């Protein structure tokens, strides 16, 4: 491919993104193994504790993985230990094999704890208790009182010195330093245990594979391109959580990856800015250019789905504007509290607002885009997906 870039149509760009994401054509991800394979492709899934009709990570997987059950993700995290919870793009679910690459952030958290008076003594008390009694939550760890503390989970480097319960502060600090790992969750309550009991020794004791800061940032930029499937070299919410990334470093990372052949440049009709894809994903682009490769699949996407990380990109490619209105006051919402984008074929055709009512799944509303004709085939596809979505939530469809 020329360094000037390959020219593609807007439809090819849409089809490529959906094929890469496993949302177009037959499901290539199946069962629990398929859920693991998709997380490895995305590199991280954003975690959000809100559970209206499934949590964000579960919703992301149900749209790609044939036969997905919520239990599969729980098992991969807390039984099989193929995945772990840690900050990446906000709080995320990450393949366990990537544990060594986050050593710099565990080291940063250890450095930050010097700010907190008496924290080290409390940490030793907590570790001793967990070593003897097993997993604990902030309510079961017998540490009394408050300390002035801030969470380093997001690595913001800011200091607000809030009075926080000692047990919670110590557990979160030991979690960010890697001494503790989340053992399991009961609802939104986290239980922590010693990492040495659950992280494979060859990973736990592995040095940082990328000790140079630029090499690490470049690695993370590459991961984000792979997570979405296609990205441009500009400020983007897709890069949230990459500490130290600025315009100069981002430009260098894209330039170096283009020169090395790790990424390829695409020019999409009608869009000024070029896009970049991983060279290994060219097979999906070739499929997208094949007019005989068709799909009438219908899927409901999660609010923080990897494909939606850059909302401006989605607007340009799909002509679809999506805002997650969960934190918007009710009187100012255009749609609803927990609304999911709807994929049909190679388009984002609308949005749907499902909710649980006991054992029933209620569809509060369905909005199709103004240019989408409500055909019998679209109706049938959405109806079929509503029913399977209800089964995913262990609900009857109403």
């Amino acid at each position: 491919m020329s360094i000037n870039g390959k020219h593609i149509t807007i439809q090819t760009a849409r089809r490529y993104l959906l094929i890469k994401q496993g949302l177009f054509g037959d499901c290539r991800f199946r069962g629990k193994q398929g859920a693991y394979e998709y997380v490895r492709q995305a590199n991280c899934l954003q975690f959000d504790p809100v559970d209206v009709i499934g949590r964000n990570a579960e919703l992301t997987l149900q749209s790609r993985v044939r036969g997905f059950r919520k239990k599969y993700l729980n098992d991969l995290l807390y039984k099989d230990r193929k995945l772990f919870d840690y900050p990446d793009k906000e709080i995320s679910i990450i393949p366990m094999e990537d544990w060594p690459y986050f050593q710099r952030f565990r080291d940063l958290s250890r450095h930050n704890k010097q700010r907190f008076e008496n924290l080290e003594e409390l940490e030793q008390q907590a570790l001793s208790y967990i070593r003897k009694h097993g997993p604990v939550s902030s309510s079961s760890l017998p540490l009394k009182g408050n300390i002035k503390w801030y969470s380093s989970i997001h690595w913001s480097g800011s200091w607000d010195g809030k009075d926080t319960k000692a047990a919670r502060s110590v557990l979160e600090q030991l979690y960010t330093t890697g001494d503790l790992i989340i053992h399991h969750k009961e609802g939104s309550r986290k239980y922590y245990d010693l990492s040495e009991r659950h992280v494979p020794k060859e990973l736990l004791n592995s040095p940082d594979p990328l000790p140079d800061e630029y090499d690490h940032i470049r690695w993370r930029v590459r991961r984000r391109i792979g997570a979405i499937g296609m990205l441009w070299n500009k400020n983007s919410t897709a890069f949230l959580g990459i500490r130290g990334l600025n315009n100069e470093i981002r430009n260098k990372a894209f330039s170096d990856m283009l020169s090395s052949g790790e990424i390829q440049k695409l020019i999409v009709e009608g869009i000024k800015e070029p896009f970049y894809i991983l060279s290994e994903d060219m097979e999906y682009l070739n499929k997208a250019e094949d007019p005989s490769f068709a799909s009438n699949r219908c899927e409901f996407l999660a609010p923080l789905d990897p494909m939606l990380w850059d909302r401006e990109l989605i607007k340009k490619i799909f002509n679809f504007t999506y805002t997650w209105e969960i934190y918007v006051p009710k009187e100012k919402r255009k749609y609803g509290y927990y609304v999911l984008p709807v994929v049909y074929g190679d388009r984002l055709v609308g949005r749907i607002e499902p909710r649980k009512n006991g054992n029933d799944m209620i569809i509060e509303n369905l909005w199709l885009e103004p240019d989408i004709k409500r055909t019998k085939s679209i109706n049938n596809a959405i109806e079929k997906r509503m029913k399977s979505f209800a089964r995913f939530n262990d609900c009857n469809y109403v």
Side-chain angles (χ1 to χ4, degrees):
M1 186 185 294
S2 166
I3 197 164
N4 293 322
K6 177 181 176 67
H7 290 254
I8 63 173
T9 66
I10 197 81
Q11 184 183 37
T12 296
R14 290 199 306 264
R15 286 161 59 94
Y16 162 75
L17 276 171
L18 292 166
I19 293 168
K20 160 71 176 182
Q21 287 291 338
L23 294 166
F24 189 90
D26 293 336
C27 293
R28 69 175 185 269
F29 302 106
R30 296 175 179 268
K32 187 167 78 169
Q33 179 61 25
Y36 172 60
E37 289 169 359
Y38 178 74
V39 179
R40 288 192 70 208
Q41 172 180 294
N43 303 300
C44 78
L45 297 186
Q46 277 187 257
F47 174 80
D48 187 87
V50 177
D51 187 357
V52 175
I53 30 76
R55 294 185 177 89
N56 184 76
E58 296 165 342
L59 292 170
T60 300
L61 291 168
Q62 64 80 33
S63 63
R64 279 112 169 140
V65 181
R66 178 69 59 84
F68 176 75
R69 298 291 178 265
K70 296 175 184 179
K71 179 181 182 296
Y72 295 163
L73 182 58
N74 187 78
D75 287 354
L76 287 166
L77 279 163
Y78 308 125
K79 292 185 179 180
D80 305 333
R81 297 289 170 183
K82 289 187 173 183
L83 308 174
F84 73 106
D85 312 78
Y86 203 67
D88 188 349
K89 189 181 185 293
E90 308 296 347
I91 300 301
S92 298
I93 294 169
I94 307 170
M96 181 62 80
E97 64 201 63
D98 286 349
W99 176 276
Y101 290 89
F102 291 84
Q103 184 60 47
R104 65 182 56 244
F105 299 112
R106 296 190 284 271
D107 291 342
L108 175 64
S109 296
R110 289 190 179 92
H111 173 74
N112 283 341
K113 76 179 182 180
Q114 297 172 9
R115 299 175 175 181
F116 312 125
E117 189 175 351
N118 300 325
L119 182 60
E120 192 160 347
E121 180 183 343
L122 292 170
E123 283 183 332
Q124 293 309 312
Q125 292 177 32
L127 291 170
S128 177
Y129 184 87
I130 295 169
R131 192 165 279 112
K132 183 177 180 180
H133 297 281
V136 298
S137 68
S138 59
S139 62
S140 64
L141 179 65
L143 291 182
K144 304 298 183 183
N146 294 344
I147 61 174
K148 283 197 175 297
W149 178 84
Y150 83 102
S151 172
S152 57
I153 280 179
H154 298 289
W155 305 311
S156 65
S158 61
W159 165 256
D160 53 23
K162 292 180 180 177
D163 280 334
T164 310
K165 288 185 178 179
R168 179 193 162 199
S169 305
V170 169
L171 288 174
E172 286 200 13
Q173 182 63 28
L174 288 169
Y175 164 65
T176 56
T177 57
D179 295 283
L180 299 181
I181 196 170
I182 295 178
H183 179 268
H184 70 282
K185 293 177 182 174
E186 293 182 3
S188 59
R189 183 176 295 279
K190 299 183 285 286
Y191 286 77
Y192 299 87
D193 199 5
L194 302 177
S195 294
E196 63 194 44
R197 291 174 174 166
H198 304 286
V199 180
K201 287 184 179 179
E202 66 272 16
L203 297 176
L204 185 70
N205 301 319
S206 176
D208 187 343
L210 299 171
D212 179 80
E213 184 176 11
Y214 168 71
D215 289 342
H216 176 83
I217 292 174
R218 171 175 157 166
W219 174 77
R220 295 190 76 193
V221 169
R222 188 184 190 282
R223 288 170 91 241
R224 298 295 171 85
I225 297 172
I228 295 175
M230 182 166 70
L231 259 178
W232 37 26
N233 177 17
K234 58 189 285 187
N235 287 332
S236 169
T237 50
F239 296 127
L240 283 176
I242 304 181
R243 185 183 177 92
L245 182 65
N246 56 34
N247 290 344
E248 181 181 356
I249 293 175
R250 191 190 67 246
N251 289 337
K252 177 173 171 51
F254 271 87
S255 176
D256 288 349
M257 287 188 288
L258 191 60
S259 296
S260 68
E262 294 171 70
I263 61 175
Q264 301 290 336
K265 186 176 180 180
L266 297 180
I267 309 298
V268 179
E269 65 171 340
I271 301 177
K272 182 179 178 181
E273 299 90 347
F275 293 92
Y276 299 86
I277 69 173
L278 299 183
S279 295
E280 63 204 54
D281 289 335
M282 284 298 295
E283 61 174 303
Y284 301 129
L285 185 63
N286 293 335
K287 282 186 178 180
E289 292 183 306
D290 180 358
S292 68
F293 186 55
S295 172
N296 288 318
R297 267 176 69 185
C298 177
E299 301 291 353
F300 304 157
L301 301 186
L304 303 174
D305 190 286
M307 197 178 83
L308 304 177
W309 282 354
D310 189 316
R311 302 291 168 83
E312 184 185 351
L313 181 152
I314 292 300
K315 171 65 175 173
K316 292 277 191 180
I317 300 295
F318 288 91
N319 191 28
F320 185 85
T321 301
Y322 177 67
T323 300
W324 193 27
E325 297 182 301
I326 189 171
Y327 301 114
V328 175
K330 185 175 182 178
E331 64 276 8
K332 294 184 178 180
R333 290 179 194 141
K334 184 176 180 181
Y335 296 103
Y337 173 73
Y338 209 91
V339 172
L340 310 180
V342 178
V343 173
Y344 175 72
D346 64 6
R347 297 288 304 275
L348 284 164
V349 297
R351 56 208 87 207
I352 192 167
E353 184 181 14
R355 68 173 175 86
K356 287 182 183 179
N357 181 21
N359 292 325
D360 293 332
M361 172 69 67
I362 308 296
I363 306 302
E364 290 284 356
N365 228 319
L366 170 67
W367 302 265
L368 293 184
E369 292 292 276
D371 63 332
I372 298 298
K373 211 171 173 184
R374 191 154 187 165
T375 63
K376 184 176 179 180
S377 60
I378 287 181
N379 284 342
N380 289 342
I382 293 176
E383 180 80 13
K384 181 180 177 182
R385 191 66 189 92
M386 287 174 177
K387 292 177 180 178
S388 62
F389 190 73
R391 290 195 297 272
F392 157 71
N393 279 285
D394 298 318
C395 289
N396 304 307
Y397 168 55
V398 179

